[in-house]
Amino acid sequence: MKPSIPKGTRDFSPIEMAKRNYIFNTIRDVFQLYGFQQIETPAMENLSTLLGKYGEEGDKLLFKILNSGDFLKDAPAELMEQRDSLHLTNKISEKGLRYDLTVPFARYVVQHRNDLQMPFKRYQIQPVWRADRPQKGRYREFYQCDADIVGSDSLLNEVELVTLIDEVFRRFGVRIVIKLNNRKVLSGIAEVIGAPDKLIDITVAIDKMDKIGLENVNAELLEKGLDESQVKAIEPLLTLSGTNDEKLATLDQLLATSEVGQKGIEELRYVIGHVAEVGTTATIELDVSLARGLNYYTGTILEVKALDVAIGSITGGGRYDNLTGVFGMPGLSGVGFSFGADRIFDVLNALDLYPADTMASAQVLFINFGDREAATSLRHVMALRKAGISAELYPDSAKMKKQMNYANDRKFPFVAIVGESEMEQGTITLKNMATGEQQALTCDQLIEILS
Amino acid sequence: MKPSIPKGTRDFSPIEMAKRNYIFNTIRDVFQLYGFQQIETPAMENLSTLLGKYGEEGDKLLFKILNSGDFLKDAPAELMEQRDSLHLTNKISEKGLRYDLTVPFARYVVQHRNDLQMPFKRYQIQPVWRADRPQKGRYREFYQCDADIVGSDSLLNEVELVTLIDEVFRRFGVRIVIKLNNRKVLSGIAEVIGAPDKLIDITVAIDKMDKIGLENVNAELLEKGLDESQVKAIEPLLTLSGTNDEKLATLDQLLATSEVGQKGIEELRYVIGHVAEVGTTATIELDVSLARGLNYYTGTILEVKALDVAIGSITGGGRYDNLTGVFGMPGLSGVGFSFGADRIFDVLNALDLYPADTMASAQVLFINFGDREAATSLRHVMALRKAGISAELYPDSAKMKKQMNYANDRKFPFVAIVGESEMEQGTITLKNMATGEQQALTCDQLIEILS
């Protein structure tokens, strides 16, 4: 009868927490460097806030909270008799767990509109819950990590986000490519081939370029009702090559007759140009096949891929024009993105990129040789802590072997010994656990060495 | 149709988050200094883990998650017909939201017992949920912040926890008293007055000393079936005065005939003595009326009160002998406590104890005078960030007044101006928002000043 946790959820042990904290703290530091401010929203939202925002499938994947008390009291007899789970749900449940950070953020902006100073640059790092079928790398509880700038349609915001993403991965030591596209370019493509009504079919198909290749994309386009000449017209767009400037020049010619296409090119040119001017560690790549959440984004679209690990997108985002319309506040433009925390965790694990001290416990463990020695050790421990050095005293005067096992398991870099002879001489023996080297020190010397 | 959040829950705005982060980071820093390691457990636990752990009332206050899909499919017809909400609950719900951090921690220890090195010093800072009636200062979602040491019955652990708590409130600048008691002393009291079976009644009554006074405590004791002489015998215990040593000496006499009482006194003497030896900023006070969660604690009991704000206990804890018994792993001793994050937040607010820079946004805002100037400003902003100085460029070339309003609202300490004349001279005008003072600087000088 060993206890367990719900499937698709996880406990995070100290080592995992240390790694995750390293990731979140790094991201948080850069967010703050860029002037983003943190908010948090409740885990539970009213179902009226959540339902209908993620499509029919999303509605099913929401975790719903059973109403408290006699929840069946007012349940319609008909639904009870028919055992109509689907329609009974919103009679016995009014709240659901957060499914992402975007809808709660939109709700937050509308609810607090009178207190917000625009542009509002917020970040949010919180778990979300989805009743998805659990599988490798997909969990029912996972953290999202979003940053958005709303209330400004300046493309300088895009420039900021790209350089911010670059800085985060530079700090992680992960080599990345940041792919950029613009929804208006996609509209332009549909326009110039004479199939503006097929925009969604076209983008869904070309979004698969990476995975299924040109031939299959073409097949899908034909299947969706494009004719041979239209498919041929798209082909050069999908096989753009050269530098970003060269790609932009080719695009410029191909979309010469589309006003919206030209606007998209102009925006891409601005963003790519300004990003190049301030400089990045990451590769910046214009990728016309990038579509991501087409129905949501209206301008810039961006996505990050790791160069040295085969894993999907590790960050994605873009510009939207109507974040809050569904809550009765239309026309608010913004641009934002989400770091994929779990995938970044996997990438750093795969490349072993955690700094050496990420997993360290306290720096030094004092061995416990009994009451009298422990009392002296405790004074040293407190002196070390006062100097900002994390230290522990083993609480029991257990066998030396047991205490050393603890020191090894917890990966203490140093062990300090205050036994009978050290008591007499007023010293501390410091053992370096990596080299085995020992030295006799005063407490002041110990503090100096460990500082 | 303004959107809202479920009652009893809260959004945390940037200013509130900054304050809360200050609190949690301070606590986290001290935990780490003391060698505690962080874990996190899922928001959802199996109901079998949670039910029966918080009493009948607690079971009702658990938020339960409705099963996904056709949850009514296998619901017993009888319960459906009778609309028996209570018994139907566990037919249509298998998971509940975390109600505290103690039960998930116990479950964690048992589930991961083979991977844990004892003593295990863990901390955990996560929200919990209770379907309580919301009222001032009581929420349905709130953070708990727990630290425990399990797998060691050494009283040095108690000493560590007391000094840790002292250090946290010293850093906050909150003057506190740490009250200490020992469950064995309470048992001793019941024993020496010849009413060991009345232990719970006695402690429930004397726990109210603070609130209702001696006379009412005595009345309650009589009502619970103690006789006059027994009540008289307890009185000197409740009115102990003098230093902790004096109180211990008096207790020693009063509980001379009780073995368990003597053991309690010995433990208190050890803890109070060792804490005094290492020294604390807080007042340490032996308080025999302190009982807290009597059915749970088996040794030391501790509680923290703020001296300068009238608010209940802001931290509490103690030693327990059977954390994990309910999950089939008996006899694991531990000692721990919980910081009351929401109350600490209230105390720091009441005393206005947040450091001046807690609420600061980025340090400097560059005003946007149009494309050309913005491009130059962006280079400066990036140079500042590279030097670790948080900086922002206003994204739009909006009216000066609007940009200055933004700077004021967001509390930027400095505003930087790169207009036409600065462009010509290659300078930046830095305005100190507090003094109004302005100076012309190069980018390097600016970095030096703001570093």
Side-chain angles (χ1 to χ4, degrees):
Chain A
M1 239 206 43
K2 201 174 161 181
S4 63
I5 50 178
K7 64 179 177 186
T9 69
R10 291 166 288 176
D11 283 326
F12 294 107
S13 68
I15 287 178
E16 288 156 342
M17 280 307 296
K19 290 178 173 183
R20 293 168 66 84
N21 283 338
Y22 166 70
I23 291 174
F24 289 132
N25 290 338
T26 302
I27 292 174
R28 215 186 315 258
D29 286 349
V30 178
F31 281 160
Q32 279 166 6
L33 200 58
Y34 274 70
F36 283 78
Q37 300 187 296
Q38 191 173 12
I39 69 162
E40 281 189 7
T41 62
M44 295 185 281
E45 294 275 353
N46 291 322
L47 277 180
S48 57
T49 299
L50 300 175
L51 285 169
K53 308 303 187 299
Y54 308 104
E56 213 173 303
E57 191 54 24
D59 283 354
K60 284 191 200 144
L61 299 184
L62 289 170
F63 279 111
K64 289 148 197 116
I65 312 277
L66 195 57
N67 289 345
S68 299
D70 187 4
F71 55 86
L72 288 177
K73 206 177 53 173
D74 298 321
E78 213 179 271
L79 298 178
M80 292 287 285
E81 274 155 33
Q82 292 167 9
R83 298 199 166 214
D84 185 344
S85 296
L86 186 63
H87 293 96
L88 195 65
T89 299
N90 55 5
K91 306 294 178 190
I92 63 175
S93 167
E94 283 166 3
K95 294 182 283 289
L97 293 182
R98 189 167 53 218
Y99 182 88
D100 71 0
L101 301 181
T102 303
V103 168
F105 174 52
R107 192 266 310 144
Y108 177 94
V109 168
V110 176
Q111 196 174 329
H112 302 273
R113 59 204 293 176
N114 296 328
D115 307 322
L116 293 182
Q117 182 69 32
M118 297 291 177
F120 182 47
K121 300 167 74 171
R122 88 87 171 76
Y123 75 92
Q124 195 169 350
I125 303 177
Q126 292 193 274
V128 301
W129 295 271
R130 297 182 184 179
D132 245 325
R133 189 175 300 278
Q135 57 185 57
K136 192 179 176 322
R138 190 195 287 169
Y139 302 100
R140 292 185 151 190
E141 173 181 64
F142 57 97
Y143 272 79
Q144 287 195 336
C145 183
D146 285 19
D148 290 83
I149 306 170
V150 297
S152 160
D153 51 18
S154 163
L155 292 170
L156 279 174
N157 296 310
E158 271 88 337
V159 176
E160 287 275 273
L161 293 189
V162 171
T163 58
L164 186 161
I165 291 168
D166 176 59
E167 175 64 12
V168 166
F169 287 102
R170 192 191 65 74
R171 291 187 181 200
F172 285 142
V174 173
R175 299 196 316 133
I176 54 162
V177 54
I178 302 177
K179 295 186 175 195
L180 291 174
N181 196 13
N182 192 298
R183 156 72 185 252
K184 297 185 179 102
V185 166
L186 294 170
S187 297
I189 294 173
E191 213 174 272
V192 296
I193 65 162
D197 56 315
K198 290 269 187 330
L199 172 59
I200 293 182
D201 288 336
I202 294 171
T203 49
V204 166
I206 70 179
D207 198 26
K208 298 178 189 161
M209 256 304 271
D210 258 13
K211 283 181 196 145
I212 63 174
L214 180 65
E215 217 162 306
N216 291 311
V217 169
N218 285 348
E220 183 168 327
L221 288 171
L222 288 170
E223 199 182 296
K224 292 291 179 185
L226 265 62
D227 63 32
E228 288 279 356
S229 72
Q230 288 173 324
V231 172
K232 273 276 159 282
I234 290 177
E235 208 172 295
L237 290 156
L238 299 184
T239 53
L240 287 179
S241 65
T243 64
N244 290 329
D245 282 346
E246 287 163 359
K247 286 182 186 173
L248 282 166
T250 312
L251 259 190
D252 211 355
Q253 292 178 326
L254 293 168
L255 302 184
T257 59
S258 164
E259 196 179 325
V260 64
Q262 286 297 318
K263 183 86 179 87
I265 292 168
E266 187 191 315
E267 292 186 10
L268 277 170
R269 202 168 258 148
Y270 184 98
V271 174
I272 291 172
H274 277 73
V275 166
E277 206 170 307
V278 295
T280 54
T281 305
T283 306
I284 307 293
E285 183 188 315
L286 169 59
D287 180 352
V288 181
S289 74
L290 183 66
R292 288 188 75 86
L294 173 83
N295 295 312
Y296 184 60
Y297 296 125
T298 52
T300 303
I301 304 169
L302 70 84
E303 186 170 278
V304 175
K305 294 215 162 181
L307 290 177
D308 304 314
V309 181
I311 201 168
S313 146
I314 54 178
T315 293
R319 177 171 287 278
Y320 41 83
D321 277 344
N322 199 12
L323 175 72
T324 50
V326 69
F327 295 118
M329 185 181 169
L332 187 73
S333 182
V335 57
F337 68 90
S338 188
F339 282 118
D342 282 300
R343 284 196 175 163
I344 291 173
F345 181 76
D346 289 343
V347 168
L348 295 198
N349 276 340
L351 301 175
D352 195 15
L353 286 177
Y354 295 99
D357 61 354
T358 305
M359 265 77 75
S361 317
Q363 274 190 271
V364 55
L365 176 74
F366 278 75
I367 300 296
N368 188 325
F369 289 98
D371 257 7
R372 227 176 50 110
E373 292 85 352
T376 301
S377 291
L378 187 58
R379 276 199 302 276
H380 295 320
V381 165
M382 292 303 288
L384 286 168
R385 288 171 180 163
K386 197 156 278 175
I389 300 159
S390 60
E392 275 186 57
L393 166 62
Y394 195 88
D396 305 278
S397 59
K399 289 213 178 86
M400 186 69 173
K401 191 174 166 211
K402 193 174 174 197
Q403 298 192 47
M404 290 307 283
N405 276 346
Y406 177 82
N408 280 321
D409 262 50
R410 288 277 314 278
K411 298 187 177 30
F412 281 89
F414 296 96
V415 158
I417 291 164
V418 180
E420 212 170 314
S421 69
E422 284 88 355
M423 289 285 282
E424 268 170 33
Q425 291 155 34
T427 57
I428 303 158
T429 300
L430 183 71
K431 179 173 177 171
N432 181 320
M433 294 293 278
T435 65
E437 204 185 335
Q438 298 202 15
Q439 48 187 148
L441 303 166
T442 65
C443 189
D444 286 344
Q445 289 171 328
L446 182 60
I447 288 171
E448 210 181 296
I449 285 176
L450 296 183
S451 284
Chain B
M1 238 203 46
K2 202 174 159 179
S4 63
I5 51 178
K7 64 179 177 186
T9 68
R10 291 166 289 176
D11 283 326
F12 294 108
S13 68
I15 285 177
E16 288 156 341
M17 280 307 297
K19 291 178 172 181
R20 293 169 68 85
N21 283 339
Y22 166 70
I23 292 174
F24 289 131
N25 289 339
T26 302
I27 292 173
R28 214 187 316 256
D29 285 349
V30 178
F31 281 159
Q32 279 166 5
L33 199 58
Y34 275 71
F36 283 77
Q37 299 188 297
Q38 190 173 13
I39 68 162
E40 280 189 6
T41 61
M44 296 185 280
E45 293 275 353
N46 292 321
L47 276 180
S48 56
T49 299
L50 300 175
L51 285 169
K53 309 302 187 299
Y54 308 104
E56 212 172 304
E57 192 53 24
D59 283 355
K60 284 190 200 147
L61 299 185
L62 289 171
F63 279 110
K64 291 150 196 113
I65 311 276
L66 195 57
N67 290 345
S68 299
D70 187 6
F71 55 86
L72 287 177
K73 205 177 55 178
D74 298 322
E78 213 179 85
L79 298 178
M80 290 289 285
E81 274 153 34
Q82 292 166 9
R83 297 199 166 214
D84 185 343
S85 296
L86 186 64
H87 292 96
L88 195 66
T89 299
N90 55 6
K91 306 294 178 190
I92 63 174
S93 166
E94 284 168 2
K95 294 182 283 287
L97 293 183
R98 189 166 55 218
Y99 182 87
D100 71 0
L101 301 181
T102 303
V103 168
F105 175 52
R107 191 267 310 145
Y108 177 96
V109 169
V110 175
Q111 195 174 330
H112 302 273
R113 59 206 292 177
N114 296 327
D115 306 321
L116 293 183
Q117 181 69 31
M118 296 293 176
F120 181 48
K121 300 168 74 170
R122 88 87 170 77
Y123 76 91
Q124 195 168 350
I125 303 177
Q126 292 192 274
V128 301
W129 296 269
R130 296 182 184 179
D132 244 325
R133 190 174 300 276
Q135 57 186 57
K136 193 182 173 320
R138 191 195 285 169
Y139 303 100
R140 292 185 150 188
E141 173 180 64
F142 57 97
Y143 271 80
Q144 287 195 335
C145 182
D146 285 19
D148 289 84
I149 306 170
V150 298
S152 161
D153 52 19
S154 165
L155 292 169
L156 279 174
N157 296 311
E158 270 87 337
V159 176
E160 287 273 274
L161 293 189
V162 171
T163 58
L164 187 160
I165 291 167
D166 176 59
E167 175 65 12
V168 165
F169 287 103
R170 193 191 65 72
R171 291 187 181 201
F172 286 142
V174 174
R175 299 195 317 132
I176 54 161
V177 54
I178 303 177
K179 297 187 174 195
L180 291 174
N181 196 12
N182 193 299
R183 155 71 185 254
K184 297 185 178 100
V185 165
L186 294 170
S187 297
I189 293 174
E191 212 173 272
V192 296
I193 66 162
D197 57 317
K198 291 266 186 330
L199 172 59
I200 291 181
D201 287 336
I202 295 171
T203 48
V204 166
I206 69 179
D207 198 25
K208 299 178 189 160
M209 255 304 270
D210 259 12
K211 282 183 197 144
I212 64 175
L214 181 64
E215 217 162 305
N216 291 311
V217 169
N218 285 347
E220 181 168 330
L221 289 171
L222 288 171
E223 199 183 297
K224 292 290 179 185
L226 264 62
D227 64 32
E228 289 277 357
S229 72
Q230 289 173 321
V231 172
K232 274 274 159 283
I234 291 175
E235 208 172 295
L237 290 156
L238 299 185
T239 52
L240 288 178
S241 65
T243 65
N244 290 329
D245 281 346
E246 286 163 0
K247 286 181 185 173
L248 283 166
T250 312
L251 258 190
D252 211 355
Q253 294 177 327
L254 293 168
L255 302 184
T257 59
S258 165
E259 197 178 323
V260 64
Q262 287 296 317
K263 183 87 178 85
I265 292 168
E266 187 191 314
E267 292 185 8
L268 278 170
R269 203 168 257 148
Y270 185 98
V271 173
I272 290 172
H274 277 72
V275 166
E277 207 170 305
V278 295
T280 54
T281 305
T283 306
I284 308 293
E285 182 189 316
L286 170 58
D287 180 353
V288 181
S289 74
L290 183 66
R292 288 187 74 88
L294 173 83
N295 294 312
Y296 184 61
Y297 296 125
T298 53
T300 304
I301 304 169
L302 70 84
E303 186 170 279
V304 176
K305 293 215 164 184
L307 290 177
D308 303 314
V309 180
I311 200 168
S313 144
I314 53 178
T315 294
R319 178 169 288 278
Y320 42 83
D321 276 345
N322 200 12
L323 175 72
T324 50
V326 69
F327 295 117
M329 183 180 169
L332 187 72
S333 182
V335 57
F337 68 90
S338 188
F339 281 117
D342 281 300
R343 284 196 176 163
I344 292 173
F345 181 75
D346 289 343
V347 168
L348 296 199
N349 277 339
L351 301 175
D352 196 14
L353 287 176
Y354 295 99
D357 62 353
T358 304
M359 264 78 74
S361 317
Q363 277 190 271
V364 55
L365 175 73
F366 278 73
I367 301 295
N368 188 327
F369 289 99
D371 257 8
R372 227 175 51 109
E373 292 86 352
T376 301
S377 292
L378 187 59
R379 276 199 303 274
H380 295 321
V381 165
M382 294 302 289
L384 287 168
R385 289 172 180 163
K386 196 157 278 174
I389 299 158
S390 60
E392 275 186 57
L393 166 62
Y394 195 88
D396 304 277
S397 60
K399 289 214 176 86
M400 186 67 173
K401 193 176 165 209
K402 193 174 176 198
Q403 299 192 47
M404 290 307 283
N405 275 347
Y406 178 81
N408 281 321
D409 262 51
R410 288 276 315 277
K411 298 188 178 31
F412 281 89
F414 295 96
V415 159
I417 292 165
V418 180
E420 211 170 315
S421 69
E422 284 87 357
M423 290 284 283
E424 266 170 35
Q425 291 156 34
T427 59
I428 303 159
T429 300
L430 183 71
K431 177 173 179 172
N432 182 321
M433 294 293 279
T435 64
E437 204 185 335
Q438 299 204 13
Q439 47 187 149
L441 303 166
T442 65
C443 189
D444 286 344
Q445 289 171 329
L446 182 60
I447 289 172
E448 211 182 295
I449 285 177
L450 296 181
S451 282

